Amino acid sequence: MHSILFVVFAPLAAAIIAGFGNRMLGNTGAKLVTTGALFLSAALSWPIFIGFLTGSASAEVVPVLQWVRSGDMTFDWALRVDTLTAVMLVVINTVSALVHLYSWGYMDEDPSQPRFFAYLSLFTFAMLMLVTADNLVQMFFGWEGVGLASYLLIGFWYHKPSAGAAAIKAFVVNRVGDLGFMLGIFGTYLVFSTTSIPEILEAAASMSGATIGFLGARWPTMDILCILLFIGAMGKSAQLGLHTWLPDAMEGPTPVSALIHAATMVTAGVFMVCRLSPMFEAAPIALAMVTVVGAATCFFAATIGTTQWDIKRVIAYSTCSQLGYMFFAAGVGAYGAAMFHLFTHAFFKALLFLGAGSVIHAMHHEQDMRYYGGLRKRIPITFWAMMAGTLAITGLGVYHLGAGFAGFWSKDAIIEVAFARGTGAASFAFWMGVIAALLTSFYSWRLMFLTFWGTPRWIESEHIQHCVHKTPEEAGADTTGGYHPHESPWVMLIPLIVLTVGAVAAGQIFAPAFLDSADFWGGSIFYNENLIHAMHEVPYWVKYSAFVVMLLGLSGAVYAYLLKPDVPAKFVSAVAPLHNFVFRKWYFDELYDAIFVKPAFWFGHQFWKLGDIATIDRFGPNGVAWAVQRGAVAAKSIQSGYLYTYALIMLLGLIAATTYALL
Amino acid sequence: MDGFPILSIMLLVPLAGAIICLFVEANAARWTALLATFATFALGVMLWANYDIGGDQWQFTERAELVAGFSYALGIDGISLLLIMLSVFLMPICVLASWGAIQKRVGEYMSAFLFMETLMIGTFAAQDIFLFYVFFEAGLIPMYLIIGVWGGDNRIYASYKFFLYTLIGSVLMLIAMFWMVALAGTSDIPTLMQYDFPAGAQTWLWLAFFASFAVKVPMWPFHTWLPDAHVQAPTAGSVILAGVLLKLGGYGFLRFSLPMFPQASADFAWLVFALSMVAVVYTSLVALVQHDMKKLIAYSSVAHMAIVTVGLFAFNVQGLEGAVIIMLSHGLVSGALFLCVGVIYDRLHTREIERYGALSNNMPYYALFFLLFTMASIGLPGTSGFVGEFLSLAGIYQVSTTVALICTTGIILGAAYMLYLYRRVAFGPEKNEDAQAMGDISPREWAMLAPIAAVVMWMGVYPESFLAPMRADIAALDARIAAAAPASDSQLAVGTPKADAANAVPYVESHSNDAKDGEH
């Protein structure tokens, strides 16, 4: 038996056992089963990955079960293992195992822990099915499966109306993307007569000059197919236009945000584009769209990140922004760089989220950074872990020293490769990437300074007030309110420490393989040797641009949040309209509510009341009934019971019949 | 199975049960009905086990000539087999669902149900067109009674509406049948399926059949009887209505309209597509604003059945097979959803969505089942709903991308109204004390829901069990209608492939960065 079978199905088995054995197993049993399964999967994933890293493994497909045979359309359950899958396996299983462990502490007081752990393991299974898919339909299975798990986990605290709403929003917005994905699969089947990914990729180049009809117009075949599939990716990876669900998804417990909404599920779109990279390379228009959408998202989300107060929302917008980097890297043809950033981002973003969770845990569930401050000394391990995550995301590193944190290696490569590609879309992406790097540095340090530096502002928080039973007035000068933040338990700190290692070192160690080695990828993605070479040859000002803007962002944050804490408020009031626009998330939610949600309900109501009741029923069955009734009334008046009326009618009938016969 | 008239016995067992039920007291009637339906189900399993996949097209045939060319002819192909299995599978569950919910005239009620089972099996097994008509139309009567006698407050209006709608369509169909039999000289369905009717006549015949089947499906705008009928019907009535009676329309299209009038079917495909597209969007939006759970699910049925009709008229194997799988899946899933409504209706006696909420607290297993069926209804891969929807939509995409796009919006709208329903019932703050006091599902309710859940997952993960029996029949049908198939709007033109990948760049000469530092 191939170890991949255990890697994929152990989490499923654990989810079923924990979910259905809910009451028999108890909390500890459910937690042991799920966490144990995930550590097993993680332990089995690393050897697979190292096999590809050292070149000793080769791509293979492990069949599982027949799925659908319908005419010429066939697709089966099967597990594909190649380099691209192996990268995802270690990312998913490592982060998932750590998040399972972390949740022992974070969810300790929750009444329905078996359910939580069952959902987490179920999610992991679905994500693994997605990345091991050998055909588009199984990928879609995983795609929807992670969507279900995400829905369940966002809505985990289902008694909160906001959680229920966020869960639906996540599912429905993702379904908009899935509409594109499904049509993309149909179109791909129509063109290639198969849904097998290797077969499609092999034939893709031969269709690069083809045209096809879609919605009554002619289109370049590969472009329309790739655009449809990319719409799916936009939904899952929260790209501009279909991003609105991701910030709301923060309603879920923080470990969920770390696993699903940072490290794994939201990167599925990037994975999909990389998996299908030979197909996208036959579709220049679609690639330009990927580049522009990615670049726009990375800038747009970063602007919002600078204004939010909720610590998790800042990180959520940061995720959205970082996904934009991955997409435009793929769009300009550097799929290895996109996957590399996916890989490093998984570590440092999971670290930031779990660190934020540790802060929230310490601060009695308060998530508003306005009520933090001065936590550096109180929760030192969390502080240093967050510090490592921040240095990683802002990309600290010096080119000439050849040393840096994880984000330095992956993000700088993306910025450089966009410059090296040099097309209009790529140049746009380059500048957006640089500006977003500045904003990233600013909002990341803002988060750090507001949380860990300055004076404590804890007593302003309602959560803290509830805890210490004091109002700010009663607390007086002691702005801590006498509250004592406590460092998290070791089950939470160990995952932080492990991820810290990843955030510090993952870039340094793996850059040569991910960026520069066609052998490492082994044909699992489209590897553009010339482009990567050109990336290394970009001028120094490009190589140092990310570093310089990182310092600028840092200085801005130091100035505004450490040296002159009254500056931000003044600045905000000076540019109030602009600030409002950004703070209200560019009014996307309001816009969608006005053009989609409200009209849907309005039309539904109109169709029901005016369509069904006032038109169809009125002229249909009720109309017929009415006509029959009127006819009966008329008929009744004829049936008077008097002989002479019958005689008259008989006479009239006789005349009519005779007339008819004579004519 | 040679010589063993299993189909006739499957007709007789429930019929005998129906007669016994009329003469015994309530509890005995319940047990009789359960026994009879289980026996019929066991016969169904035997039927499936002995069905020879890849064998003759028509199996288990029985024939007895009656008066004037009208014969008692039974026989099934794979499609009939699957629909018969659906009927006999749902029947014991219906009896269980009515166990305590029906308290008045129990004997008559069970009798009506068993009688209906006979008629449904007969409809799917009939090989004589008039025999089919008798079974098809007689099915109206027990349903009419179930709604009219054991229904809700407004049951009389609903039952009349149901009766009027379905009857008017049928009259036209009967006239068409007479005409066909006169022309072809036989009332044998397999023969008629191979008979080439003149093109001009096909149009009128197709329309006459359409009048009947469109109401049964139901297609927009002939659907308004369905929400009323569902709302007024007792739970088990809704299960059978959604589970089996709605499938008669689709079965009719498969058995009559498509093979007998292929040309007219192709000519009228645009009409079917147009009505189906309207149905998907229109009824989904209507479902979104419902306050009554049963009405919401009824409207969702109309939207789902629209995917069946586009699949049927896609004129390719994926469309046809997808349509049959949706018919089976919808039968199970919407049946199960009505059972889920019934479970809480039995406790609180209201279908008003707002009267519930936060049921995940006190009814966790109920919430789990309800979630599973909700997900199956919105076509989550791994459940039966996905397989059918995916194949059907893949089929229609090969004919018209526009129709495919509009119909695929159903996956968004479906998610919206079902999850909105689920949220209001199972999630949210605890707002109704009486709803919070309800107990989780009983062993009897487990016995109703768990088997359906198992089949829904089975059909989603390994649909081959359901695709294999009908494969040859669908292939034969596809071959029969292929000549009339409408042209695809995709019209792929391969053209000359480009020489380079989109992101191909020339090789940049290496320069030592240190030396050329100043140039940039």
Side-chain angles (χ1 to χ4, degrees):
Chain A
M1 289 254 279
H2 198 288
S3 65
I4 188 70
L5 289 166
F6 290 98
V7 172
V8 174
F9 290 106
L12 174 65
I16 292 171
I17 293 168
F20 286 92
N22 205 325
R23 282 164 200 174
M24 276 172 289
L25 285 171
N27 285 350
T28 315
K31 288 195 288 194
L32 274 177
V33 168
T34 51
T35 313
L38 259 298
F39 272 91
L40 173 72
S41 285
L44 291 172
S45 304
W46 278 94
I48 297 176
F49 175 66
I50 290 167
F52 284 100
L53 203 62
T54 57
S56 63
S58 55
E60 57 185 321
V61 178
V62 181
V64 177
L65 184 72
Q66 179 181 334
W67 192 7
V68 169
R69 298 271 141 88
S70 175
D72 298 331
M73 181 183 261
T74 65
F75 40 87
D76 292 340
W77 301 104
L79 306 178
R80 178 177 187 78
V81 190
D82 57 13
T83 311
L84 185 63
T85 302
V87 170
M88 295 304 288
L89 289 181
V90 294
V91 167
I92 296 162
N93 285 321
T94 307
V95 178
S96 182
L98 293 173
V99 166
H100 273 75
L101 182 63
Y102 179 94
S103 305
W104 282 60
Y106 194 84
M107 301 299 284
D108 193 37
E109 286 161 17
D110 199 277
S112 33
Q113 291 175 50
R115 185 165 62 93
F116 181 78
F117 282 83
Y119 288 169
L120 273 189
S121 294
L122 177 71
F123 164 79
T124 314
F125 162 71
M127 189 72 205
L128 292 168
M129 288 298 277
L130 193 167
V131 298
T132 55
D134 193 42
N135 62 62
L136 289 174
V137 191
Q138 186 182 323
M139 191 189 276
F140 191 69
F141 166 82
W143 197 264
E144 293 275 283
V146 292
L148 168 67
S150 166
Y151 165 81
L152 292 171
L153 284 164
I154 294 169
F156 180 74
W157 287 317
Y158 55 78
H159 52 268
K160 278 163 65 183
S162 57
I168 293 189
K169 187 171 173 186
F171 201 96
V172 173
V173 174
N174 266 293
R175 277 263 158 151
V176 177
D178 295 346
L179 168 77
F181 195 167
M182 269 182 101
L183 292 175
I185 298 175
F186 300 152
T188 308
Y189 172 73
L190 181 92
V191 172
F192 297 103
S193 300
T194 177
T195 59
S196 155
I197 292 171
E199 288 174 30
I200 294 165
L201 298 187
E202 196 171 329
S206 67
M207 285 291 169
S208 57
T211 59
I212 199 166
F214 184 72
L215 305 183
R218 298 296 296 176
W219 306 71
T221 304
M222 295 312 293
D223 286 302
I224 193 70
L225 295 183
C226 289
I227 287 171
L228 287 170
L229 292 168
F230 177 62
I231 290 171
M234 285 174 66
K236 200 54 86 200
S237 294
Q239 293 299 286
L240 188 58
L242 295 178
H243 67 279
T244 53
W245 64 273
L246 182 59
D248 290 25
M250 297 302 125
E251 289 292 340
T254 308
V256 172
S257 313
L259 176 60
I260 302 188
H261 305 120
T264 57
M265 182 185 86
V266 288
T267 62
V270 181
F271 168 80
M272 181 230 255
V273 174
C274 291
R275 173 60 91 202
L276 303 177
S277 47
M279 206 176 157
F280 278 82
E281 284 295 326
I285 301 170
L287 278 172
M289 178 173 164
V290 174
T291 309
V292 171
V293 169
T297 307
C298 100
F299 168 73
F300 149 85
T303 59
I304 301 176
T306 60
T307 59
Q308 301 298 306
W309 292 115
D310 184 315
I311 187 168
K312 286 182 72 183
R313 286 198 181 235
V314 174
I315 307 177
Y317 278 106
S318 161
T319 302
C320 195
S321 168
Q322 298 297 313
L323 291 165
Y325 278 104
M326 299 175 207
F327 273 110
F328 80 69
V332 300
Y335 303 98
M339 284 306 297
F340 188 36
H341 196 52
L342 187 161
F343 182 78
T344 60
H345 175 258
F347 293 112
F348 64 69
K349 189 53 67 68
L351 173 61
L352 285 169
F353 259 122
L354 293 183
S358 185
V359 173
I360 294 166
H361 191 74
M363 291 299 289
H364 213 260
H365 306 295
E366 178 55 66
Q367 301 193 9
D368 195 319
M369 297 189 297
R370 279 172 294 191
Y371 311 134
Y372 289 170
L375 285 167
R376 195 175 57 219
K377 295 272 163 57
R378 308 297 188 111
I379 44 174
I381 300 176
T382 303
F383 164 69
W384 283 109
M386 291 283 282
M387 192 59 156
T390 304
L391 291 172
I393 193 177
T394 56
L396 178 69
V398 181
Y399 174 74
H400 273 96
L401 294 178
F405 285 80
F408 162 74
W409 293 93
S410 53
K411 185 164 70 176
D412 286 25
I414 289 174
I415 290 173
E416 288 164 23
V417 83
F419 181 85
R421 181 70 184 87
T423 59
S427 304
F428 171 70
F430 167 72
W431 286 110
M432 285 294 133
V434 171
I435 297 170
L438 175 95
L439 295 169
T440 305
S441 173
F442 179 77
Y443 67 65
S444 299
W445 288 112
R446 170 176 177 264
L447 183 154
M448 289 301 284
F449 296 151
L450 282 172
T451 306
F452 293 107
W453 271 267
T455 49
R457 303 175 295 275
W458 310 338
I459 194 61
E460 304 291 326
S461 155
E462 283 183 19
H463 295 266
I464 301 291
Q465 290 165 25
H466 280 291
C467 181
V468 298
H469 306 292
K470 276 185 204 160
T471 62
E473 291 74 34
E474 288 164 3
D478 181 13
T479 52
T480 67
Y483 182 74
H484 294 287
H486 44 88
E487 186 61 282
S488 299
W490 281 105
V491 284
M492 291 169 68
L493 295 178
I494 290 167
L496 288 182
I497 293 164
V498 176
L499 288 169
T500 301
V501 175
V504 173
Q508 194 95 37
I509 297 172
F510 295 107
F514 278 79
L515 294 176
D516 299 317
S517 173
D519 291 340
F520 168 67
W521 289 110
S524 62
I525 57 166
F526 180 91
Y527 188 80
N528 196 332
E529 197 112 28
N530 288 358
L531 182 66
I532 297 303
H533 183 71
M535 174 185 93
H536 288 304
E537 301 299 326
V538 295
Y540 279 130
W541 71 266
V542 175
K543 285 187 186 292
Y544 275 97
S545 58
F547 181 72
V548 171
V549 296
M550 186 268 287
L551 290 181
L552 283 176
L554 171 63
S555 331
V558 167
Y559 178 74
Y561 293 97
L562 286 186
L563 303 180
K564 304 262 183 205
D566 55 333
V567 165
K570 281 186 197 156
F571 181 74
V572 163
S573 59
V575 293
L578 179 68
H579 177 263
N580 265 338
F581 177 72
V582 176
F583 183 70
R584 303 297 299 277
K585 302 161 269 179
W586 294 30
Y587 294 107
F588 266 99
D589 281 334
E590 289 80 357
L591 182 73
Y592 285 177
D593 193 51
I595 61 177
F596 295 119
V597 180
K598 288 216 170 71
F601 278 90
W602 186 84
F603 274 113
H605 205 259
Q606 298 305 312
F607 286 151
W608 182 30
K609 293 291 183 193
L610 292 181
D612 271 19
I613 294 171
T615 309
I616 297 174
D617 274 353
R618 184 170 164 209
F619 297 105
N622 298 354
V624 171
W626 178 84
V628 170
Q629 209 167 24
R630 289 299 296 262
V633 169
K636 193 174 76 183
S637 65
I638 300 170
Q639 294 169 30
S640 57
Y642 294 108
L643 200 58
Y644 60 84
T645 41
Y646 294 145
L648 178 67
I649 290 163
M650 270 175 73
L651 188 64
L652 288 172
L654 203 62
I655 294 169
T658 321
T659 318
Y660 179 77
L662 289 177
L663 290 174
Chain B
M1 298 295 285
D2 284 338
F4 182 67
I6 187 167
L7 290 172
S8 289
I9 294 173
M10 287 181 76
L11 296 178
L12 279 175
V13 170
L15 187 63
I19 294 166
I20 295 170
C21 280
L22 285 176
F23 298 104
V24 296
E25 49 85 36
N27 226 13
R30 290 189 184 113
W31 284 103
T32 309
L34 192 63
L35 204 66
T37 50
F38 260 115
T40 318
F41 176 62
L43 287 165
V45 174
M46 264 174 70
L47 188 73
W48 196 359
N50 286 287
Y51 182 83
D52 178 17
I53 293 168
D56 294 342
Q57 185 180 4
W58 304 100
Q59 301 185 17
F60 310 105
T61 50
E62 297 169 36
R63 193 168 195 92
E65 298 301 329
L66 302 173
V67 287
F70 176 81
S71 51
Y72 174 79
L74 300 178
I76 56 165
D77 65 354
I79 302 167
S80 299
L81 171 74
L82 292 169
L83 290 165
I84 288 175
M85 285 311 298
L86 176 68
S87 315
V88 299
F89 175 72
L90 286 175
M91 261 307 163
I93 294 170
C94 286
V95 174
L96 284 176
S98 314
W99 207 258
I102 300 298
Q103 290 297 344
K104 68 167 185 179
R105 294 170 177 266
V106 178
E108 285 93 332
Y109 176 87
M110 292 298 172
S111 177
F113 260 91
L114 290 168
F115 188 49
M116 177 114 83
E117 180 168 25
T118 299
L119 296 172
M120 289 181 316
I121 297 170
T123 310
F124 295 129
Q127 290 219 298
D128 182 280
I129 199 165
F130 293 118
L131 187 65
F132 168 85
Y133 185 82
V134 170
F135 283 129
F136 184 79
E137 289 310 319
L140 278 180
I141 299 165
M143 196 68 221
Y144 171 76
L145 293 173
I146 288 167
I147 298 173
V149 178
W150 293 276
D153 300 335
N154 201 11
R155 56 183 183 268
I156 303 299
Y157 173 71
S159 58
Y160 271 108
K161 201 166 168 183
F162 167 72
F163 203 81
L164 258 183
Y165 251 120
T166 43
L167 193 67
I168 288 170
S170 305
V171 172
L172 293 170
M173 184 172 79
L174 183 63
I175 298 168
M177 284 178 170
F178 276 118
W179 196 90
M180 286 161 65
V181 171
L183 186 72
T186 176
S187 58
D188 182 47
I189 290 175
T191 315
L192 286 168
M193 284 169 69
Q194 301 298 326
Y195 190 87
D196 295 312
F197 288 98
Q202 279 194 22
T203 307
W204 298 107
L205 294 171
W206 190 92
L207 284 172
F209 277 82
F210 179 76
S212 177
F213 299 150
V215 170
K216 277 273 180 1
V217 167
M219 295 177 73
W220 186 89
F222 312 112
H223 67 282
T224 60
W225 63 270
L226 187 69
D228 284 316
H230 270 311
V231 166
Q232 299 304 327
T235 301
S238 290
V239 174
I240 283 304
L241 191 55
V244 187
L245 291 191
L246 295 195
K247 308 303 168 293
L248 295 177
Y251 179 74
F253 282 127
L254 269 170
R255 188 62 82 226
F256 298 92
S257 303
L258 285 166
M260 296 183 191
F261 325 120
Q263 191 53 51
S265 295
D267 294 345
F268 281 114
W270 65 269
L271 175 67
V272 174
F273 294 161
L275 296 183
S276 303
M277 285 191 286
V278 173
V280 168
V281 177
Y282 178 112
T283 52
S284 295
L285 290 174
V286 175
L288 195 59
V289 298
Q290 297 305 310
H291 308 294
D292 181 307
M293 280 188 253
K294 275 185 143 185
K295 242 184 189 166
L296 193 155
I297 299 166
Y299 275 109
S300 84
S301 293
V302 182
H304 282 124
M305 295 311 285
I307 311 287
V308 172
T309 47
V310 289
L312 290 173
F313 285 82
F315 282 78
N316 52 41
V317 173
Q318 287 87 35
L320 290 165
E321 291 188 344
V324 177
I325 295 285
I326 303 180
M327 280 164 43
L328 299 173
S329 164
H330 177 265
L332 297 167
V333 173
S334 69
L337 285 170
F338 281 119
L339 289 172
C340 284
V341 175
V343 165
I344 50 179
Y345 181 82
D346 287 349
R347 287 162 173 67
L348 216 56
H349 299 287
T350 174
R351 294 179 310 268
E352 192 70 22
I353 296 168
E354 293 307 320
R355 295 279 291 105
Y356 296 93
L359 295 190
S360 295
N361 279 344
N362 50 322
M363 304 177 72
Y365 284 110
Y366 172 78
L368 185 65
F369 276 116
F370 193 17
L371 178 74
L372 173 73
F373 297 125
T374 298
M375 286 297 155
S377 170
I378 62 185
L380 193 84
T383 65
S384 58
F386 172 72
V387 178
E389 220 171 67
F390 183 84
L391 288 177
S392 194
L393 292 168
I396 193 61
Y397 188 95
Q398 294 167 49
V399 176
S400 166
T401 51
T402 312
V403 178
L405 173 72
I406 305 279
C407 290
T408 311
T409 57
I411 71 166
I412 305 171
L413 298 169
Y417 62 72
M418 285 310 294
L419 294 181
Y420 186 43
L421 169 69
Y422 189 77
R423 174 186 166 197
R424 287 178 290 169
V425 173
F427 290 170
E430 300 140 21
K431 55 182 177 182
N432 299 307
E433 266 176 40
D434 46 358
Q436 286 300 303
M438 303 193 303
D440 209 342
I441 46 179
S442 66
R444 178 181 62 85
E445 288 159 340
W446 267 94
M448 287 152 41
L449 297 173
I452 304 185
V455 178
V456 164
M457 298 293 290
W458 172 17
M459 204 184 284
V461 174
Y462 188 71
E464 178 65 13
S465 310
F466 304 90
L467 287 165
M470 65 168 157
R471 184 163 292 135
D473 303 304
I474 295 290
L477 176 59
D478 184 54
R480 165 100 178 128
I481 62 179
S488 163
D489 72 344
S490 287
Q491 305 283 346
L492 177 69
V494 175
T496 318
K498 297 190 182 95
D500 286 324
N503 276 316
V505 289
Y507 185 77
V508 187
E509 279 306 311
S510 280
H511 49 256
S512 161
N513 257 320
D514 301 310
K516 306 220 174 168
D517 199 5
E519 285 184 15
H520 302 289

